[in-house]
């Protein structure tokens, strides 16, 4: 029994290694898009300043090309939902161009929540994310949850990344993941950023002080 458990653990670890962004043997199930192709995008709105930064990034996109759009918000975050609707209204006059939806997932960890009570809420958030990212596309015969997933923290975005890797693990089409570190992070990465840096396709920082020699960070100046 112990030997079987060890074998399974090793196989799972090897599979995860092969689907990491830096792995040369990872499968590529998503066709590269040209500048004229439509690109569906999902963006996590982490509330407060995170929402403001994420929506600033999205507002710079061509909404006719980046469509449909999915905004993922934490349960109870009414303000982020309203801000997303306001952005859509300001950018889209034609309903055909303004295709978007809002997905609500439970918070992985509430503000000031004790660490001992976090695992159950994180698990609930993960199950909800897996439903939206993995199960729902299969039920409605969609090819993928989104072509691109944009993250900038906080904690709930970690479970979204895990849900994407559940798709990758079984060889299903998955979105590319871009993580943009918060503008407020000048000298040290956020906890979400440190956790997700090895797993996202592109990791973008907004301050040169965060660049590491030989690291995966990209710096393109201030984005928000």
């Amino acid at each position: 029994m112990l030997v079987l458990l060890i074998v399974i653990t090793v196989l799972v670890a090897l599979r995860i290694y092969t689907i990491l962004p830096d792995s040369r043997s990872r499968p590529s199930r998503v066709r590269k898009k040209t500048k004229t192709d439509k690109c569906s995008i999902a963006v996590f709105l982490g509330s407060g300043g995170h929402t403001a930064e994420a929506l600033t990034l999205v507002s710079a996109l061509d909404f006719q090309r980046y469509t449909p759009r999915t905004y993922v918000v934490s349960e109870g975050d009414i303000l982020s939902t309203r801000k997303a609707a306001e952005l859509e209204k300001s950018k889209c006059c034609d309903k055909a161009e303004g295709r978007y939806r809002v997905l609500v997932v439970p918070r992985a960890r509430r503000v000031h929540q004790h660490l001992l009570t976090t695992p159950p809420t994180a698990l609930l958030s993960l199950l909800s994310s897996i439903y939206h990212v993995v199960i729902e596309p299969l039920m409605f015969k969609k090819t993928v949850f989104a072509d691109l997933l944009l993250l900038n923290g906080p904690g709930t975005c970690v479970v979204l990344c895990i849900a994407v890797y559940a798709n990758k693990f079984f060889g299903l089409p998955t979105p590319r993941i871009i993580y943009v570190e918060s503008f407020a992070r000048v000298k040290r990465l956020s906890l979400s950023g440190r956790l997700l840096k090895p797993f996202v396709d592109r990791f973008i920082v907004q301050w040169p002080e965060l660049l590491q020699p030989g690291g995966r960070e990209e710096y393109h100046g201030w984005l928000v």
Side-chain angles (χ1 to χ4, degrees), residues 31-40 64-66:
R31 178 179 64 88
K32 291 185 177 180
K33 292 182 176 293
T34 67
K35 291 184 177 180
T36 58
D37 285 339
K38 300 288 185 182
C39 179
S40 59
Q64 294 187 32
R65 181 190 176 198
Y66 288 91

Side-chain angles (χ1 to χ4, degrees), residues 179-192:
Y179 187 95
V180 181
E181 185 59 282
S182 172
F183 180 79
R185 292 292 175 167
V186 179
K187 296 183 178 181
R188 181 177 171 83
L189 296 177
S190 63
L191 176 59
S192 298

Side-chain angles (χ1 to χ4, degrees), residues 92-147:
C92 303
C93 298
D94 189 324
K95 291 183 179 180
E97 295 177 1
R99 292 185 298 161
Y100 80 99
R101 62 174 179 161
V102 176
L103 294 181
V104 180
V105 297
R107 292 180 184 272
R109 181 172 183 261
R110 297 184 297 274
V111 178
H112 303 308
Q113 181 180 352
H114 197 284
L115 289 176
L116 292 178
T117 64
T118 298
T121 57
L123 178 59
L124 183 61
S125 180
L126 176 60
L127 293 176
S128 177
S129 298
I130 288 177
Y131 171 78
H132 290 302
V133 175
V134 182
I135 300 175
E136 190 177 55
L138 294 175
M139 290 175 58
F140 294 95
K141 298 182 179 179
K142 297 178 182 178
T143 55
V144 67
F145 161 70
D147 296 315

Side-chain angles (χ1 to χ4, degrees), residues 149 151 156-166 177 196 199-200:
L149 175 60
L151 305 173
T156 304
C157 74
V158 175
V159 299
L160 283 171
C161 185
I162 295 174
V164 169
Y165 266 78
I177 307 175
L196 294 183
F199 300 97
V200 299

